[in-house]
Amino acid sequence: MKICCVVGARPQFVKAAALSRAVQSRNDTIFFVHTGQHYDANMSEIFFEEMEIPRPDHQMQVGGLSQGAMTGRMMEQLERVFLDENPDCVTVFGDTNSTLAGALTATKMHIPVAHIEAGLRSYNKRMPEEINRVLTDHCSDLLFVPTNASKENLMREGIDEKKIFVVGDIMVDALYYYKEKALKTSKILEKLGVKEKQYVLATVHRAESTEDSKKLRVIFESLIEISKSIKVIIPLHPRTRAALKATNLLDICEKHLEIISPVGYFDMLVLEQGASVIMTDSGGIQKEAYLFQVPCITMRNETEWRELVDKKYNTLVSPVDDNIVRAYHDCSYPKNWDLSIYGEGNTSQKILDVLLL
Ligand code: UDP
């Protein structure tokens, strides 16, 4: 069995690390295509190094292009790779342009597509991620979903139940596997001169946050307000840095917030575990906060990870007026955390059991 794994963006490297580890224990081949969607060293290279992900067999360069141009170029180049390599299956992760390009190209070439982290929905079609995940789900042959709720989302859209497998979340595998090593090797807290529970960790990167200048302003003014009572550390995504610069907010943010460059996965795990509260618009970080039992405030109008909100591990707050600041001061969380919502950390093995049948 020859499996092609298409990756391109930061969260996909984390998921691919978990899958590639699981494949190593079997006699099958996995090869990687990196689309180049994320290309900065600290958004890409560092993940391959730290997590010992096999080097991509094919490296493309499509970063920095518009949505359409990027997806089109990826498809053109992926088609050539699939023709040369003739994989038995193409695996895609999550909801980025690389996910959609991989799935569309493969399905048109009659190569079976496996979608890992299928069935998630925000029901907000203005999000590029929502378009990517819906279209990818509808051209996939095997849909690996984290929960029964995501399975139901797919069945409501008419997807055949036989193609859907509830396997838990692959990011749990990565976190459980790399956590100890991260805690042993990362020096990020010393480097930043902070102690556990004495800072808030924030991340902001979604187009819906960065492309709407009003929302961007509310989010960052709220973080600045919160920074009056506690240090706020923010590993700043390049897209967000550009948006803050364009809206003349970067200087004031740099004055009040501990803005750092995006960090590698190990430093991120340590920062997450040590945070008193995590404030984010990221999907993956909502789950990691829950796994570390750190209160999380999601600064968006909706979330795909509804169960965390329903069980009160996560507070969802629209970035409007002083909502975010109030949510920060009001946040209270359950004492007993049920950590099994997304499985036990053996999602990759469950996926391979299906894929390699
Ligand atoms: N992450 C990281 N360094 C950072 C920010 C995030 O290693 O500076 C990791 C984070 O721990 C998680 C993943 O990247 O595993 C989440 O990626 P992102 O927030 O970019 O995307 P999303 O999950 O929203 O798709």
Side-chain angles (χ1 to χ4, degrees):
M1 181 88 175
K2 191 173 176 188
I3 304 168
C4 172
C5 219
V6 179
V7 295
R10 180 169 65 188
Q12 291 164 338
F13 308 140
V14 176
K15 294 163 198 172
L19 191 70
S20 71
R21 293 205 63 79
V23 175
Q24 277 165 23
S25 60
R26 312 205 185 195
N27 282 333
D28 298 272
T29 318
I30 186 166
F31 73 96
F32 286 92
V33 183
H34 188 325
T35 63
Q37 185 174 342
H38 283 169
Y39 48 88
D40 291 341
N42 55 358
M43 297 286 289
S44 171
E45 174 66 23
I46 190 168
F47 292 85
F48 284 84
E49 253 172 43
E50 277 185 349
M51 302 171 91
E52 298 174 282
I53 308 169
R55 292 282 145 186
D57 298 80
H58 301 270
Q59 177 70 55
M60 295 156 41
Q61 260 134 26
V62 299
L65 298 172
S66 64
Q67 295 273 340
M70 185 190 285
T71 313
R73 296 256 178 98
M74 283 178 189
M75 289 184 68
E76 192 181 3
Q77 296 179 49
L78 284 169
E79 186 173 56
R80 251 178 272 141
V81 172
F82 297 165
L83 274 173
D84 286 350
E85 295 275 5
N86 199 18
D88 297 299
C89 167
V90 168
T91 304
V92 295
F93 302 91
D95 55 23
T96 72
N97 291 339
S98 305
T99 316
L100 178 62
L104 260 182
T105 310
T107 197
K108 287 189 162 209
M109 296 172 75
H110 312 295
I111 304 168
V113 178
H115 185 200
I116 297 178
E117 207 184 79
L120 278 271
R121 294 291 180 270
S122 67
Y123 297 105
N124 174 1
K125 282 254 172 70
R126 292 191 61 82
M127 289 176 70
E129 296 92 338
E130 182 76 357
I131 315 270
N132 291 339
R133 58 172 87 98
V134 172
L135 296 179
T136 300
D137 282 340
H138 283 262
C139 59
S140 292
D141 301 277
L142 297 169
L143 296 105
F144 295 105
V145 299
T147 61
N148 280 320
S150 30
K151 175 176 177 176
E152 282 158 22
N153 290 343
L154 294 176
M155 288 176 60
R156 272 198 299 276
E157 292 173 17
I159 291 181
D160 185 350
E161 187 174 5
K162 289 203 275 303
K163 295 186 189 172
I164 309 171
F165 301 87
V166 183
V167 291
D169 193 287
I170 197 163
M171 290 186 95
V172 179
D173 299 23
L175 187 143
Y176 285 175
Y177 183 81
Y178 292 103
K179 185 171 71 173
E180 294 312 319
K181 200 165 172 199
L183 290 172
K184 271 198 203 119
T185 56
S186 168
K187 299 269 173 289
I188 189 77
L189 299 188
E190 294 90 315
K191 215 166 120 190
L192 295 172
V194 288
K195 294 216 169 356
E196 286 199 4
K197 305 302 160 196
Q198 290 179 1
Y199 62 91
V200 164
L201 176 68
T203 76
V204 179
H205 77 286
R206 288 201 178 280
E208 70 192 63
S209 310
T210 59
E211 284 177 6
D212 177 338
S213 58
K214 211 164 140 195
K215 247 189 210 169
L216 187 74
R217 181 173 288 277
V218 170
I219 292 174
F220 278 90
E221 283 179 350
S222 305
L223 294 176
I224 288 173
E225 182 60 32
I226 292 164
S227 76
K228 291 177 185 160
S229 53
I230 187 165
K231 189 169 198 140
V232 177
I233 298 174
I234 173 156
L236 198 62
H237 193 285
R239 178 200 282 158
T240 317
R241 177 177 285 277
L244 288 174
K245 209 164 179 189
T247 48
N248 296 321
L249 285 167
L250 189 58
D251 286 348
I252 181 147
C253 287
E254 278 179 331
K255 213 155 113 197
H256 295 274
L257 308 174
E258 179 79 39
I259 294 191
I260 58 175
S261 297
V263 294
Y265 186 61
F266 289 4
D267 282 347
M268 193 61 184
L269 290 184
V270 169
L271 281 170
E272 288 172 347
Q273 175 166 285
S276 65
V277 174
I278 293 178
M279 309 189 60
T280 191
D281 64 358
S282 155
I285 293 170
Q286 290 174 57
K287 289 176 286 177
E288 289 166 353
Y290 149 73
L291 292 170
F292 282 129
Q293 303 181 50
V294 172
C296 183
I297 294 173
T298 298
M299 305 179 287
R300 290 180 51 195
N301 294 336
E302 64 277 311
T303 177
E304 299 74 20
W305 305 98
R306 270 297 333 166
E307 47 285 327
L308 297 181
V309 177
D310 294 342
K311 299 206 164 156
K312 309 219 179 315
Y313 300 128
N314 187 348
T315 305
L316 178 66
V317 43
S318 297
V320 180
D321 302 333
D322 62 348
N323 280 359
I324 294 174
V325 178
R326 278 198 285 120
Y328 172 74
H329 289 297
D330 291 350
C331 76
S332 69
Y333 291 86
K335 291 227 163 13
N336 300 316
W337 294 56
D338 164 17
L339 292 180
S340 66
I341 296 177
Y342 300 121
E344 316 297 327
N346 56 356
T347 293
S348 315
Q349 292 294 352
K350 288 186 183 168
I351 291 171
L352 291 181
D353 287 346
V354 176
L355 266 185
L356 304 179
L357 257 188

